[in-house]
Amino acid sequence: MQFVSIANRFGWGGRPGAIPTGSARDWLAQQLQNTDAANFLNVGTSADGLIALREQRRTKMPGNPLIQPIFQAEIATQLDHLLLTEQPFRERLAWFWFNHFTVSLRQGSVRSVVGAYMREAIRPHVTGRFVDMLVAVMRHPAMLMYLDNSSSIGPNSPIGRKNHRGLNENLARECLELHTVSPQGGYTQADVTSFAAILTGWGIDMKADRPGFSFREKAHEPGEKNVMGQVFPEGEQGGLLALNYLGTHPATYRHIATQLVSHFISDKPLPQDVEHIAGVLQQSGGDLQKTSLALADLPDAHKPGSKFRSPMDYATAVMRALSLGGAPSTPDNPHSPAHILFSACGILGQPIWSAPLPNGWGDRAADWSAPADMLARTDWSWRMAAHAHADDPMEIAHAALGPALRKTTLTAMHHAGSRQDALALLFSSPEFQRR
């Protein structure tokens, strides 16, 4: 297994001089077995974001004067880490699971806690059990705001009877359809409605000294509920039991196995690969560390270039190839590496944390490979190539692509009129578009 191929397939592209020696599988395993090395600077908790949101609302401040600095600090430190991480497999998994459990800046309030959501609900569970990540996500203010569960009121609850308000099914529907069993699980509209009733009362206490998740009993629909043939008691415990049922359901394991194989191996996952990964999930109780490593053992895991890079993937790989990043980015400096990457993702069509719908960003070549997309990459990469002042373009090419580098690309780079042109040719080559 070639290190460069593995760094591209399972990570974010290599940085020159940063590819280790030894067994590639051991390198992947160590990234997951060791603790998360990320050290995020100058950021607080989701409670801090909610306090800022509360104060903005209370004083009716125009714009986002309290939230924007929080958001910019998150962008600076999280994208700095993406450029520099020596645990790129763990980092790819974190962003994969964020996309699986998408929240988006298109719901304005999410901006206050989106960075904390990644750090609090996703990252701690990347190598843990899937069901624990599911519970953390479903209780996090970012998800509760994004899918508006705070407005879901049990029609027969004290608040529902008084105010004549009812269910909001958004969170329950997306949890069933996107996060857990998927439509192949066989749930019905009645199951969606019943699950939404289970989740009534799950909201955010914005008046608390430290705002965060709160179960509002007076908004909770009373009585037992039935989801997919299983009966759950009323109260917060009923919701936790329902999530445990859904998060360990065989249909859930098959759904997330399909997504994992699609993301890491092929746009068209082989049935036997999906069955194998689903089996690892089932046998391990949803252990994501074992499951993630099982991906590296699939027969096509070593095959280079079978996945097309998304815009975020591409921009990160270019910047890592150019060894950009180092000193911490200043949150309000648009020329810092983190903000260059943030801007690039927007220019290339995949703005950070801004998926248009709850199903997240697409993961297939067809989603990102239109002619206009390719022209935008060439234009952006030519401007980025100006950042390489001293490095040899040929050395960058070999470090970035290894054996996937084509002779025709090398020849074109050799005849380029300048260092910048040579690097633009590298970053525009067909093999660099893939991982």
Side-chain angles (χ1 to χ4, degrees):
M1 220 183 276
Q2 287 283 345
F3 260 117
V4 175
S5 297
I6 290 300
N8 287 332
R9 171 65 61 86
F10 291 93
W12 292 90
R15 292 177 67 88
I19 299 298
T21 58
S23 162
R25 193 186 186 284
D26 288 348
W27 179 61
L28 294 176
Q30 287 167 6
Q31 294 178 49
L32 305 189
Q33 291 162 356
N34 295 337
T35 56
D36 187 352
N39 180 27
F40 297 117
L41 305 174
N42 304 316
V43 289
T45 66
S46 55
D48 296 318
L50 293 173
I51 290 170
L53 178 62
R54 181 177 65 193
E55 185 63 13
Q56 279 194 181
R57 288 174 172 173
R58 187 185 68 79
T59 57
K60 299 181 180 178
M61 295 179 185
N64 277 316
L66 302 182
I67 292 173
Q68 189 61 12
I70 293 173
F71 178 74
Q72 289 178 323
E74 294 282 5
I75 288 295
T77 192
Q78 295 207 31
L79 296 190
D80 270 350
H81 180 66
L82 186 61
L83 292 172
L84 297 170
T85 182
E86 296 180 358
Q87 295 177 317
F89 186 26
R90 176 184 282 273
E91 200 63 22
R92 176 167 287 282
L93 288 166
W95 287 89
F96 167 84
W97 287 114
F98 183 97
N99 196 53
H100 178 81
F101 292 111
T102 289
V103 301
S104 175
L105 299 179
R106 295 182 184 233
Q107 207 285 5
S109 299
V110 168
R111 183 176 294 265
S112 62
V113 291
V114 65
Y117 173 71
M118 173 67 114
R119 293 182 288 107
E120 295 170 351
I122 302 294
R123 298 190 70 96
H125 304 289
V126 161
T127 56
R129 294 194 311 153
F130 174 79
V131 68
D132 294 332
M133 186 187 291
L134 174 65
V135 172
V137 162
M138 294 287 283
R139 292 165 63 93
H140 199 276
M143 183 61 78
L144 293 167
M145 287 194 295
Y146 177 53
L147 293 176
D148 207 18
N149 202 67
S150 294
S151 69
S152 185
I153 306 296
N156 298 304
S157 68
I159 294 177
R161 291 197 303 273
K162 179 180 178 181
N163 298 331
H164 305 290
R165 294 175 60 184
L167 300 175
N168 182 320
E169 297 182 350
N170 287 351
L171 181 59
R173 185 181 306 281
E174 305 305 359
C175 183
L176 288 167
E177 179 180 343
L178 303 175
H179 303 157
T180 59
V181 293
S182 82
Q184 282 66 45
Y187 65 85
T188 65
Q189 174 56 42
D191 292 318
V192 174
T193 302
S194 186
F195 188 33
I198 288 176
L199 295 176
T200 51
W202 286 44
I204 306 164
D205 183 358
M206 290 294 289
K207 297 180 180 178
D209 290 342
R210 301 292 294 171
F213 173 81
S214 173
F215 178 72
R216 293 188 302 157
E217 191 170 352
K218 290 184 178 180
H220 182 66
E221 179 71 3
E224 295 181 337
K225 293 92 174 174
N226 187 315
V227 174
M228 298 179 67
Q230 300 293 311
V231 177
F232 300 99
E234 72 174 49
E236 182 182 359
Q237 185 64 16
L240 294 173
L241 291 172
L243 290 177
N244 187 70
Y245 171 72
L246 294 170
T248 56
H249 196 285
T252 297
Y253 290 150
R254 182 171 181 79
H255 175 54
I256 61 177
T258 302
Q259 291 192 313
L260 282 164
V261 177
S262 297
H263 182 77
F264 283 96
I265 307 298
S266 171
D267 286 3
K268 297 179 179 178
L270 296 175
Q272 60 267 33
D273 289 348
V274 173
E275 287 301 320
H276 177 69
I277 298 302
V280 174
L281 282 162
Q282 188 73 50
Q283 293 161 15
S284 67
D287 186 314
L288 296 181
Q289 183 176 138
K290 291 181 179 177
T291 302
S292 302
L293 284 175
L295 290 164
D297 295 329
L298 292 176
D300 288 340
H302 65 284
K303 185 179 178 182
S306 61
K307 286 294 298 182
F308 195 83
R309 279 175 161 152
S310 71
M312 180 180 178
D313 197 351
Y314 172 79
T316 304
V318 169
M319 294 184 68
R320 285 175 65 90
L322 293 173
S323 301
L324 297 181
S329 293
T330 306
D332 57 356
N333 178 5
H335 303 295
S336 64
H339 283 82
I340 290 174
L341 178 55
F342 178 76
S343 175
C345 292
I347 291 170
L348 300 179
Q350 191 182 15
I352 299 287
W353 295 329
S354 300
L357 294 169
N359 60 347
W361 293 109
D363 206 12
R364 301 171 305 157
D367 297 323
W368 305 113
S369 56
D373 298 330
M374 297 299 95
L375 286 172
R377 291 187 182 200
T378 298
D379 181 60
W380 176 80
S381 66
W382 185 81
R383 285 182 277 122
M384 287 305 301
H387 289 263
H389 300 296
D391 296 328
D392 181 352
M394 296 301 179
E395 291 182 3
I396 292 174
H398 285 290
L401 294 174
L405 182 62
R406 298 179 311 149
K407 186 176 180 180
T408 51
T409 300
L410 280 172
T411 301
M413 292 176 66
H414 181 73
H415 290 96
S418 67
R419 181 197 311 273
Q420 185 174 5
D421 289 347
L423 287 170
L425 286 167
L426 167 66
F427 299 140
S428 302
S429 67
E431 58 267 40
F432 199 91
Q433 311 308 311
R434 294 182 170 273
R435 59 178 171 90

